[in-house]
Structure formats: C-alpha cells, structure tokens
Amino acid sequence: MIRRPILILPLVLGACVTVKAPDKPIEINLNINVKQEVVVSLKKDAEDFIANNPDLFPK
C-alpha cells in the first residue's frame, strides 16, 4: 500500500511544471570576421606581383 502514493507522486509533481514556447524567435548572432583572411591573401598576391614584376617596382 505504500507503493501507490510513491507512484502517483511523480505524476502530481509533473503536472505542476509547464513548458511554454518563447514569444520572440531565438536569435543566434554569428559575427564572423573575414577581414583578416582577405588582407592576408591580398598581401600575398601583392608580394607575388611585385616579385614577378621587378621592373615596375624598382628598389
């Protein structure tokens, strides 16, 4: 007879918890900095161009 109240207790406690969807949509902000990669690739391209065309850029 003691087992029945123990089995009913989780059902009673579970009925007290409510789950509600948020009013606003969930926003995931992904700020990605691409500037560094672009600068590095442009710098490499410029170095290659100068090295391949020494007559255009005398020292």
Side-chain angles (χ1 to χ4, degrees):
M1 291 195 177
I2 296 175
R3 290 187 175 196
R4 288 187 182 204
I6 293 174
L7 295 175
I8 295 174
L9 185 61
L11 295 174
V12 173
L13 292 176
C16 297
V17 177
T18 57
V19 178
K20 182 181 174 188
D23 295 336
K24 299 177 184 176
I26 297 172
E27 180 180 336
I28 299 173
N29 192 358
L30 298 175
N31 290 327
I32 300 173
N33 188 357
V34 183
K35 181 180 178 183
Q36 183 178 8
E37 294 177 22
V38 172
V39 171
V40 170
S41 66
L42 287 176
K43 182 178 178 183
K44 178 69 175 142
D45 289 344
E47 289 173 352
D48 291 343
F49 183 77
I50 292 169
N52 292 333
N53 299 294
D55 54 330
L56 295 177
F57 303 97
K59 291 185 180 182

